[in-house]
Amino acid sequence: MTRRHDLTDAQWFDPERYKLEEKGLIERAVDPADTRARRLRVTDRGAEVAQRAIEAVEAADAAFFAGTDAAAVIRTLKPLAGR
C-alpha cells in the first residue's frame, strides 16, 4: 500500500523544502507568535511557477479530453466510483 504524503510529516517534507528553498520558490521566516517555529511562505517566483504549472496541467487535460463526450465519460466512471 502506498503511503500518502502529509505536508506535516517532517521526514518527507524537509528534503522537499530544501529543494524548494534552493530554487527560490519558498522561504522560511520566524513565526512572530512563537520564535521557536518557522513559517513557510511562497515567494513571488514560487507563485509564478505554480501558476505556470497549473496552466500547463489544465492545457494537458484539455488536450487529452478534447473531442470526448463528457456524458459518456461520466456514465463510464460512475460504476467505478460505486454510484
Side-chain angles (χ1 to χ4, degrees):
M1 180 157 101
T2 303
R3 181 173 171 261
R4 183 176 171 185
H5 291 300
D6 181 348
L7 291 180
T8 62
D9 184 347
Q11 290 179 337
W12 172 82
F13 190 69
D14 269 355
E16 302 307 317
R17 178 183 54 85
Y18 292 129
K19 291 176 192 174
L20 295 171
E21 280 183 294
E22 287 172 6
K23 294 177 180 181
L25 303 176
I26 64 169
E27 59 188 17
R28 289 189 318 153
V30 174
D31 184 336
D34 181 356
T35 57
R36 297 168 297 173
R38 300 292 180 265
R39 288 186 173 196
L40 296 178
R41 184 185 83 72
V42 176
T43 63
D44 290 342
R45 181 168 181 265
E48 291 170 10
V49 169
Q51 184 59 44
R52 287 197 314 267
I54 290 167
E55 290 168 2
V57 169
E58 288 175 347
D61 282 349
F64 182 81
F65 290 107
T68 60
D69 176 2
V73 172
I74 291 170
R75 280 193 306 275
T76 302
L77 294 177
K78 276 188 175 183
L80 297 174
R83 295 183 181 178

